Amino acid sequence: MPVLPTPATTIRLVADGDTLHAVIDDPAAAPDTRYAIYLNRNGERIATRGYAPEREARFVGPHAHGSYTATAFCHDVAADSRRKALSAPVALARPPLPPQRRSSDIPPAVTVESIDHLHAALRPDRIQRLDVPFGRLTYNLLTGKQRPGRLYVLLRGAEPDRHTVQLPRFSRFSWRERFPGTVLCIADPTLYLDDELKLGWYFGAPDHDVVEHLARILEVVCARLGLPVSDVVLYGSSGGGFAALQIAARLGRGATAVGVNPQTDVLKYTVPRSVEAFLRVCTGGLTKERAWRRFGPRISALQAWQVDPAGEARCLIVQNIVDREHYNGHFRPFADLFALPDNGRSPDGRMASIVYDHPSGHAAEPDELVPRIIETALALTWQPGAAARPADPAPPAPVPAPVSAPVPVAAPPAGGRRRIAVAPLAGKPPLRGGPIRLAQLYLPTTATRPGSRPGTIAYRPRADVPPVEVELPLDWSLDPFKDRNWNAQLHMWRLGDWELHEGERLKDPARLAFFVRIMLDWHRYHVVDGHASIYAWQDMMVGIRAMKLAFILSQWQHGRLALAPDELAVLHDLVETHLGFLLDPAEVRYSNHTLSDLHGALALARVVDAATRQRIETFVGEIFPKVLDGQFDAEGIHREHSIGYHRYGINYLQRLIDTGWFEAYGLREVVARAEATLNWFLLPDGRLAPIGDTDGAAPPAAPGTPVFQGRNQVFARSGYVVLRDDGGGRTDAASYLFFMGAYHSRFHKQADCLSLLWYHGEDILCDAGKYAYKTDDNARYAVSRRAHNTVEIDQPVGLQLPPAPYGSAVRGVQAFDGGHAIAAAVDFANLGVRHARWCLASPDGWLLVVDRLEGQARHDYVQWWHLAPAIQELTERDGGLEARLPSGRNLVMRCAHERSTRIERLRGAEKPRRQGWISQAYRKLEPNWAIGMRQTARSAWFATLFALDAPSSTLSADGHGATFTLAGGTRAPARYRVAFTPDGCRVERDAPPR
């Protein structure tokens, strides 16, 4: 029956010190009326008092600042009628954050150097608080003394109000005597990613799988305690219950999960703000649909328990039937999938449920139920080697394997992925003209070649990785290098590209038939056998596969390749499922990947029936202009913060032009503008400026003349500023400064806000470069603020960016006598810090940078500078630093700061953090000098002067202005006085007295 408000019922909310007191006035009350009360902050429920006869509730604080309301729910049991009322708001000011309370028997935290040192750090004879750095996050552990029995891993759910607690937070450690064994509490490291995140579900981030890392930590703990993994019992409620299910499924080997009122699907959690915060922080801002497709097994226990090694895991779900939202929305789907009855066991005995009735609703389990929970969990059975699967699956209908290739083929099972119904494929060309040519598709060169034995493939998608010999049938989850790009190319079917090229060149149908075997095997693994892969259905991968699928079908339609009926049935199924993805608006990311998807869709349009072709062309006609606008702006600048992708975008659009399929979109004009702009992003020696995800490169041995001509030139568009001078036609005298003030989206955006690079006859200040599409510490370093020439704030764990794109941060660019000045500013609203930067550069060989940071609280600020790796000598002199450049010139660095500043010099450092590394080739780092100036304060300013061959230079500043003198060597003395304004500066130059 629906819940309806009635004016007869009211509720008052009163603040009484740290307590909020809610009182219900219900004139219509019946003798059996029961009441529940929600406490809401800023419109979001943060606490619940379950149904009870009492008409009031006290919510003890302290409470964070905000607007509070109380909601009353009245249930007349006999009449089965319900009423609802909402209180007037109560505003609370921000209280001071209380000191973290620690029980007297819990020792202070000890930091373990790494996971490799955890085994030695664990002391089973005592209580310990251990912090374990693992990748980009720190894992907080609280261990009890070892006792006979199993290992009970206790996990935590939501933190209702992050503003009143300090992390880490543990659950149920006070219960440790109730568990027949050793207790280990683990806090959720995901919460460190964002101060507003209240529930992280132990997910981590796209490139940091907390569940995977905890599985490894638990393996180490088990080894230290002398326990098998089958003795692990993971225990949690709500979000902690979800984490228990996920970790047990990942561990397998008899591990047991106990979930009390757990979510089984993160995206179906009934608190929208928590889900929205999760998507923003943990998935990079994906929609629900895209997050589901990309991270299915990581956000759905239903999916996770269908993937091995979950077949060897055990679970007990404890569900309060009064908590209808979780009973119907989370428990029932899981129970139905695995034939799990209420208060019973699954057919295989490894799953059980306890369904109870208690007025506490979604709150923690009643104390009296705990012994039964533990007893039931310990009685579950498991079978080593069992496969993960739902109950009673319907087997796919078998189809004989094709005669032409020993690859098993089966008709697709019912259901599965979204698909577009396509008429049977015609055995003749549906359009006039010849077959699709490989030159019309996107097939980069590959180092893959035939393997050492017949039928094998030496798969090598990039020259920087060794070949891996594979053969069919293939395990498509193969991941020998833990390399996302390697895996992505595998699922683009690039292991067969050499067969396509040779098959077309030699007109050899046998080579094309071998590629068909690869397609059939991919279908066998993902559709027939039902294996999941995060790379199987991702944008770009699907589009590139669609191109090759269309090429093969076009060859068949033109009589250049024979296909057996069962092979054709599989290819038809691939057409339908690939079009189901490509024509799904929810899968459109409007990134450069979408170019490949639309390219693949139009390739398939060449081989399908007229009605499907019209549907594809209509969809592409609606989407492609938006994608194109998201790639290049009206001034011809690529929007994905990377010069490498600017050039990639030009090359890809030229390929689309060459197909003849995109004539209606004015691509030639777009390419012409983008090519003209690209010329500004070339260093004097012809290398791309290594901004964002751009491959770095070492300087050429003989640079020759500059690739551009002109003196004291300026480019300022879309957040990019370039100042360049050709040095009179000499590369060794040419200057180039690139300033990064652009943030248009998260695509390929590094934490390089207000960073810069500087070249003057040679590399001086460098950018870290792309490094690689990996998830290791090197890749995380390369995108961090400390790897760029900018200011780092508070040593962030993740990618430190403002909460939303700001477009261009550049406030102004102006000329002065001898050079140009740039003014820019960025607000880090998530940190309460505003960063303003002024940059003055001259082709005469000097650069002044002033940073002003204004915060609402104390922060640790570090201004980082990265010298080129070829610069080896760096010494302190006259309160500053001097470096000898490879050319033999002298670089002077003078500094002025608001307060006492610690200067750090690091080169090739690994600990305590990576610093002093540059990438000038894919997956390679080389050491360079990193110079950091550190201040700890609410607000701070830094002024740094770089000057060539001016050893007597001086600098003074006060944050609002600066005075510096360039002198020494053969340089004529000059003095500059600068006054800063929000949009620029005023510069005066004169000759100082000798």
Side-chain angles (χ1 to χ4, degrees), residues 444-453 455-472 474-499 514-515 518 522 535 541 544-545 548 922-923:
T445 57
T446 175
T448 298
R449 293 295 181 267
S452 60
R453 295 177 291 106
T456 62
I457 304 168
Y459 174 52
R460 191 182 187 187
R462 300 192 314 266
D464 64 289
V465 293
V468 176
E469 191 154 296
V470 299
E471 61 182 328
L472 305 179
L474 177 65
D475 178 3
W476 288 85
S477 66
L478 187 68
D479 188 10
F481 304 113
K482 306 301 179 186
D483 186 324
R484 289 183 295 164
N485 180 268
W486 192 95
N487 281 282
Q489 296 202 50
L490 180 70
H491 285 268
M492 295 174 193
W493 297 339
R494 293 209 62 208
L495 71 170
D497 283 5
W498 56 276
E499 292 283 11
F514 186 84
F515 190 87
I518 293 173
W522 189 92
Y535 298 98
M541 274 133 269
I544 290 179
R545 288 201 307 266
K548 299 171 185 179
Y922 193 77
R923 293 184 66 198

Side-chain angles (χ1 to χ4, degrees), residues 641 718-720 739-744 749 752-753 806-810:
H641 320 98
S718 303
Y720 292 168
F739 186 88
M740 166 55 83
Y743 182 17
H744 303 292
K749 177 62 178 172
D752 56 0
C753 300
Y806 49 72
S808 173
V810 177

Side-chain angles (χ1 to χ4, degrees), residues 6 81 293 337 452 613 875:
T6 173
S81 64
R293 296 183 189 279
L337 180 64
S452 60
R613 181 166 58 255
T875 58

Side-chain angles (χ1 to χ4, degrees), residues 434-582:
I436 295 174
R437 296 172 289 108
L438 292 181
Q440 295 175 296
L441 309 180
Y442 179 62
L443 272 74
T445 57
T446 175
T448 298
R449 293 295 181 267
S452 60
R453 295 177 291 106
T456 62
I457 304 168
Y459 174 52
R460 191 182 187 187
R462 300 192 314 266
D464 64 289
V465 293
V468 176
E469 191 154 296
V470 299
E471 61 182 328
L472 305 179
L474 177 65
D475 178 3
W476 288 85
S477 66
L478 187 68
D479 188 10
F481 304 113
K482 306 301 179 186
D483 186 324
R484 289 183 295 164
N485 180 268
W486 192 95
N487 281 282
Q489 296 202 50
L490 180 70
H491 285 268
M492 295 174 193
W493 297 339
R494 293 209 62 208
L495 71 170
D497 283 5
W498 56 276
E499 292 283 11
L500 291 180
H501 283 293
E502 290 300 290
E504 183 183 59
R505 184 178 68 87
L506 301 173
K507 296 182 173 56
D508 184 356
R511 293 181 178 274
L512 301 181
F514 186 84
F515 190 87
V516 172
R517 292 186 58 202
I518 293 173
M519 301 162 73
L520 299 178
D521 191 66
W522 189 92
H523 181 273
R524 181 270 313 167
Y525 183 89
H526 293 94
V527 179
V528 179
D529 295 348
H531 294 295
S533 170
I534 64 172
Y535 298 98
W537 297 101
Q538 286 197 27
D539 55 344
M540 191 176 190
M541 274 133 269
V542 180
I544 290 179
R545 288 201 307 266
M547 298 178 205
K548 299 171 185 179
L549 178 59
F551 175 80
I552 289 294
L553 289 171
S554 179
Q555 296 291 307
W556 168 69
Q557 290 174 336
H558 284 82
R560 300 184 179 185
L561 174 67
L563 292 173
D566 47 1
E567 293 175 322
L568 190 60
V570 171
L571 298 189
H572 182 267
D573 182 58
L574 288 172
V575 170
E576 292 192 332
T577 52
H578 279 63
L579 285 177
F581 181 99
L582 296 173

